[in-house]
Amino acid sequence: MGIQGTILVVDDEIRSQEALRRVLNQDFEVLCAGNTSDAEKLLEGEIVHAVICDQRMPQESGVSFLKRVRELWPDPVRMIISGYSDSEDIIAGLNEAGIYQYITKPWQPDRLIEIVREAVQLYRLQKETETAGVDVKATPEHIKKVVSVKRGAAKKLYDFDRIVHSAASPMRNVIELGRRAADYDISVLITGESGTGKELLARAIHYGSGRANKAFVVENCGALPDELLESELFGCKKGAFTGAYQDRIGLFEVADGGTIFLDEIGETSPAFQVKLLRVLQESEIRPLGAQRVRKVDVRVVAATNRDLEAEVEAGRFRRDLYYRLAAFPVHMPSLRERPMDIPLIAEGVLSAVKISFNRPHLRFAPPALEEFSKYHWPGNVRELQNEIQRMAVLADADELRCPPFGGRRSGRRAAPAMANGKLNGSGSLKDRVEDLEKTIIVHCLEKYDGNISRVASELGLSRVGLRNKLSRYDLKKNGKGHAFS
């Protein structure tokens, strides 16, 4: 099974430390401290899952120390061990220090291992359900039941059969590939335009696999700078960098035994790619500011809207990392490549809109679905969802007659005119291409009233990438959200 977590033992008696270490060492990494000062130094330098503290020590009581741990390091599960069964100590520990277990001496080895294993499980479940830092009052069984119910619901929601497609759709082949990939513990790289449903396929692969009963976690790699991305994925110690105000368990550790979905992997920097490659090669992470590495068992499903093979040839993406991620590549077709699916998807979206908007009688007029099929949907399924929601908001009656596409209604619009006439004028190729790129960005900003997320989605860029281009071309937004340079 391997090392399950890191346990800090605090006891002034060396023999007690060694006895606990011998029993726990096979299943856990055990750190020992003979006093509370040394224990605090270890908590400052390591990510600890659980603390076992003796109640009666020369410097201060275990309850007093764990009360301080609760304030400064709220994540570790706190336990008291004592040869005295003083009811006042027990009550104080439960109420003041948020003690999970009061272990009495002499303890039984098998029972101790069981208690510590449950404490580490509780730590991980709290992180997965985002309840870290809340007083430990719920039992592991209760939290495990809650998580199990949530996973069962997710498994039904994200089943392959729930991916909408028609009999003639190219999605049939995609789903078949996904089912095959789910059966084997292999890294999957999902490519395709933004809004095509790459995360939906990733979730189906996870919940169709042997890891379905473990966590599925998501990180958008294009949304954060390297240091914050490392902190999110690998974890960090308090004070490891500016803004690290508390210990953070990384998503790789949260996903231990399960799956991590790395979206927009093509947006990562070469420096970060090196660190990610090491994690994938060694199956271990090292939180920022921590002294020790920890093993993880995680399946990686990555996604990108970029052509990673071209990025590799251009030297912007590491070849060795690409082959690690792309052991089993799957390409998601755009919505315009699957027009036969548009009416089915639209009806499915409308069903959800009826519930969320509390308008149970909404329906499409036949011409509306025809218009949907004519349009090229640069934002793919995500844009289709937005348009249907917009139609529902603007509709005074229950019948949705015509999507409010404006000039888009007849399909792909003509390309915008070139600024300064450079398309047919003079200037170097580089200047003309940059001018065209700038014009297209301005056009999209106007089209979406300056909404960065929608512009980035249509152009196949990350928000960070789009903002870099806005800065490069000195594009700003006025009070109405329209762009000008």
Side-chain angles (χ1 to χ4, degrees):
M1 183 179 289
I3 300 301
Q4 299 175 38
T6 300
I7 313 301
L8 173 59
V9 172
V10 187
D11 199 313
D12 61 302
E13 295 184 6
I14 298 297
R15 291 200 310 176
S16 295
Q17 289 182 26
E18 290 304 319
L20 289 166
R21 186 196 295 273
R22 281 197 302 272
V23 171
L24 299 175
N25 209 40
Q26 184 172 349
D27 295 321
F28 308 95
E29 180 181 12
V30 181
L31 310 176
C32 291
N35 55 66
T36 57
S37 296
D38 290 346
E40 288 188 18
K41 291 177 182 176
L42 287 170
L43 285 167
E44 288 173 354
E46 299 293 340
I47 291 180
V48 174
H49 296 85
V51 179
I52 302 176
C53 185
D54 187 34
Q55 167 59 6
R56 298 197 175 186
M57 296 184 292
Q59 288 184 328
E60 64 179 320
S61 71
V63 167
S64 175
F65 170 63
L66 291 182
K67 183 179 179 181
R68 191 162 66 254
V69 170
R70 181 192 195 187
E71 295 171 353
L72 299 175
W73 299 279
D75 291 344
V77 176
R78 299 170 292 280
M79 293 175 283
I80 282 285
I81 189 166
S82 177
Y84 304 90
S85 56
D86 190 330
S87 60
E88 291 185 4
D89 285 345
I90 296 173
I91 294 172
L94 291 173
N95 292 339
E96 297 176 18
I99 302 300
Y100 163 63
Q101 279 280 5
Y102 197 104
I103 305 167
T104 57
K105 296 179 181 178
W107 39 264
Q108 296 297 318
D110 290 344
R111 177 55 183 154
L112 179 67
I113 291 173
E114 182 182 349
I115 290 171
V116 175
R117 186 175 290 133
E118 288 178 348
V120 172
Q121 181 187 46
L122 178 60
Y123 177 98
R124 296 189 189 281
L125 289 173
Q126 285 179 317
K127 287 297 184 181
E128 185 179 338
T129 56
E130 298 182 347
T131 59
V134 176
D135 290 348
V136 180
K137 293 182 180 179
T139 64
E141 290 76 15
H142 173 73
I143 296 181
K144 188 174 182 180
K145 183 178 180 180
V146 171
V147 173
S148 178
V149 170
K150 290 175 64 177
R151 285 176 180 159
K155 190 170 184 179
K156 292 180 181 178
L157 181 63
Y158 296 110
D159 187 85
F160 283 108
D161 291 335
R162 297 292 296 270
I163 299 177
V164 179
H165 65 287
S166 65
S169 173
M171 282 299 296
R172 291 191 67 186
N173 183 55
V174 171
I175 292 170
E176 176 60 26
L177 289 174
R179 289 186 190 275
R180 288 180 176 272
D183 290 335
Y184 300 93
D185 217 14
I186 187 172
S187 296
V188 178
L189 177 65
I190 306 173
T191 58
E193 296 177 7
S194 294
T196 51
K198 296 188 289 293
E199 182 177 334
L200 187 64
L201 180 64
R203 288 182 182 273
I205 290 172
H206 168 73
Y207 288 109
S209 74
R211 295 177 177 266
N213 291 326
K214 295 293 184 178
F216 177 87
V217 298
V218 178
E219 182 58 72
N220 186 323
C221 298
L224 297 172
D226 281 5
E227 200 169 57
L228 288 179
L229 184 57
E230 287 181 52
S231 169
E232 285 288 317
L233 292 179
F234 311 143
C236 72
K237 289 297 300 176
K238 180 180 178 181
F241 59 89
T242 302
Y245 300 116
Q246 61 183 7
D247 291 352
R248 176 188 291 274
I249 183 173
L251 292 181
F252 265 92
E253 191 168 352
V254 173
D256 193 23
T259 304
I260 189 166
F261 176 59
L262 301 178
D263 199 8
E264 295 195 34
I265 192 67
E267 307 299 325
T268 55
S269 71
F272 177 79
Q273 291 169 25
V274 173
K275 296 174 182 178
L276 178 60
L277 177 63
R278 185 182 184 283
V279 170
L280 300 183
Q281 288 176 333
E282 305 298 331
S283 296
E284 62 183 26
I285 58 171
R286 182 174 183 174
L288 292 173
Q291 299 173 6
R292 293 176 175 82
V293 298
R294 55 185 71 229
K295 287 287 185 180
V296 289
D297 172 25
V298 178
R299 180 186 197 170
V300 175
V301 178
T304 180
N305 54 30
R306 291 179 176 269
D307 181 347
L308 279 196
E309 289 186 339
E311 294 293 297
V312 168
E313 294 303 322
R316 290 186 291 267
F317 199 87
R318 291 185 63 93
R319 188 180 299 274
D320 43 8
L321 177 59
Y322 171 74
Y323 287 120
R324 279 275 174 184
L325 296 171
F328 194 90
V330 181
H331 181 73
M332 291 289 285
S334 64
L335 195 54
R336 61 183 169 276
E337 294 175 284
R338 42 186 294 217
M340 67 292 292
D341 295 340
I342 291 176
L344 293 175
I345 296 172
E347 291 290 357
V349 172
L350 183 60
S351 296
V353 169
K354 288 178 183 180
I355 296 172
S356 61
F357 287 9
N358 194 26
R359 296 184 63 181
H361 303 298
L362 286 176
R363 62 189 182 279
F364 290 122
L369 292 177
E370 292 176 10
E371 291 289 340
F372 279 148
S373 298
K374 293 177 183 177
Y375 182 55
H376 68 292
W377 300 109
N380 293 292
V381 178
R382 190 177 298 131
E383 184 182 1
L384 176 60
Q385 292 171 333
N386 291 344
E387 290 293 349
I388 293 172
Q389 289 176 345
R390 183 168 178 239
M391 289 169 65
V393 170
L394 295 176
D396 294 324
D398 288 332
E399 188 172 65
L400 307 183
R401 290 187 172 277
C402 189
F405 293 159
R408 292 177 284 167
R409 202 175 287 164
S410 61
R412 188 180 296 273
R413 288 187 292 180
M418 274 297 301
N420 302 324
K422 285 191 176 180
L423 183 61
N424 296 313
S426 59
S428 68
L429 176 61
K430 180 176 179 294
D431 289 341
R432 296 195 211 184
V433 169
E434 288 183 349
D435 206 48
L436 176 59
E437 182 176 63
K438 178 179 177 181
T439 302
I440 292 172
I441 292 173
V442 169
H443 178 73
C444 285
L445 284 166
E446 291 175 346
K447 172 181 172 182
Y448 292 118
D449 293 330
N451 186 310
I452 297 297
S453 296
R454 298 196 69 182
V455 172
S457 175
E458 173 153 338
L459 297 180
L461 299 170
S462 68
R463 287 172 57 90
V464 174
L466 177 58
R467 290 190 185 280
N468 288 339
K469 290 185 181 294
L470 293 178
S471 176
R472 176 182 177 185
Y473 294 126
D474 194 28
L475 296 175
K476 308 293 182 184
K477 291 185 290 181
N478 63 18
K480 295 181 179 179
H482 292 172
F484 63 93
S485 58

